[in-house]
Structure formats: structure tokens, C-alpha cells
Amino acid sequence: MGFLLLILGIALWIGAHVFKRVAPERRAAMGDKGRGVIAALLGLSLLLIILGYRGAGFINVWYPPEWMVHINNVLMLFAFYSFGIGASKGRHAQKIRHPQLTAVKIWAVAHLIANGDLASIVLFGSMLGWAVAEVILINKAVPVWEKPSEIRPNGDVKNAIISAVLYVIVAGIHVLLGVYPFG
């Protein structure tokens, strides 16, 4: 049942995100109410993904070396930092067009190299594929990127601090859930 919930959650996540790209007229016709519907679908998808991932039986596919955990942890710092680039409006906001999708790709790769079980491969592999496809769809729809004009002088520093704090919080949540991200 765990794998079924995981796959349903992933499909719902991808469908809710890609809907705007593949059916822009239909999404626009939904108006502001559509935002609530999409948000509810994304919330449901996250719940299904979490329940499915936690409930999936452990099926080992490969055995990553223990030192991959350390690479995962370093990559996760970059993922947190990348996720906040757009909001921080520092200099890096003018260098990375899709900072949140870049963060998802880093997060997925980091977890794929540190986890060798089937549920992890399904979850993180599908999220990596979704993030790559989403970037392609966005770039196709809007080929010319207008870099942000507003730059905050200390935006990158604030982002680094916030990213480090969030990293510690998320690592703590992993520990509370019985997953030890530091080996």
C-alpha cells in the first residue's frame, strides 16, 4: 500500500504543477479559486508522498558508500541556499533562472546518492525528472529570461544565514523521525 500511495502522491504533485504549463488557458479560466484548488491538491500530494514513503517496504537496490552521506549533507546546504535565492534578491538572483527548481534538483541528486532503496529511488528520481521537465516547459513557454532588477546588497548573506538555520531545523526533524542525516 505504501508504494501505491507514494506513486499516487508523486503523480498528483507532478500533475498539479505541470497543469499550468500544459493547459494554461484552462488554468487561467479557474481564476483565483484555481490557486486554492492547486494548493489543496499539492497539500494532498505531499501527505500521500509522506505516508507512502514511510509505509513503503524497504527494498534495497544498491548500497551507497557511507561517505555519500557527507556529500549529501554538503549538497543539501546548497539546496537550501538555492531555494532562497529568489526571495533574498541578492546578486545570485541574477545568475540562476530557476532557483527553486535548481534546489529540487540538488535535493533529489543528494538523496539519490545517499539512499539505495527502491522508495527513495522512486521518490527522488521522479522529483528530479519533474524538476528537469518543469524547467524545460518554462523555458519553452518563456524563452527570454528577464533578470530581476531589484538587488539587495546583503540578500545573499541573509539567504546564507536563513539557509543554515533551516538546514539545522530540517536535520532535527529528520532525527525526530528516526532518520539520522549525519551517518
Side-chain angles (χ1 to χ4, degrees):
M1 184 68 164
F3 277 102
L4 178 62
L5 292 177
L6 177 62
I7 291 167
L8 285 174
I10 291 167
L12 188 56
W13 172 271
I14 292 170
H17 277 93
V18 173
F19 177 61
K20 178 180 179 180
R21 307 286 170 219
V22 297
E25 298 87 16
R26 186 177 286 171
R27 172 59 189 94
M30 294 172 70
D32 285 340
K33 282 186 175 182
R35 297 184 99 187
V37 171
I38 298 297
L41 290 173
L42 291 172
L44 177 61
S45 73
L46 283 174
L47 179 64
L48 291 171
I49 288 169
I50 292 167
L51 292 174
Y53 185 76
R54 301 265 313 159
F58 186 83
I59 301 170
N60 211 26
V61 176
W62 74 291
Y63 298 91
E66 286 187 33
W67 53 269
M68 288 292 201
V69 170
H70 305 298
I71 294 173
N72 170 71
N73 292 334
V74 171
L75 287 172
M76 285 310 300
L77 281 169
F78 286 110
F80 276 101
Y81 183 82
S82 179
F83 196 85
I85 285 174
S88 67
K89 296 185 179 7
R91 286 191 329 246
H92 291 132
Q94 292 189 321
K95 297 185 183 340
I96 299 177
R97 181 173 180 179
H98 307 287
Q100 291 180 331
L101 289 169
T102 300
V104 171
K105 290 186 273 186
I106 296 168
W107 167 80
V109 168
H111 283 76
L112 282 169
I113 65 173
N115 297 284
D117 63 290
L118 184 59
S120 293
I121 292 168
V122 168
L123 173 58
F124 303 118
S126 63
M127 289 297 155
L128 176 59
W130 162 73
V132 168
E134 190 79 16
V135 166
I136 292 168
L137 288 171
I138 293 169
N139 289 349
K140 186 176 181 184
V142 185
V144 178
W145 177 40
E146 290 185 35
K147 295 180 181 182
S149 57
E150 179 190 350
I151 297 298
R152 298 180 186 148
N154 57 357
D156 294 328
V157 173
K158 284 184 179 178
N159 186 27
I161 293 167
I162 292 168
S163 298
V165 170
L166 289 174
Y167 177 85
V168 169
I169 291 169
V170 171
I173 292 169
H174 276 70
V175 171
L176 289 174
L177 292 173
V179 179
Y180 299 95
F182 302 106

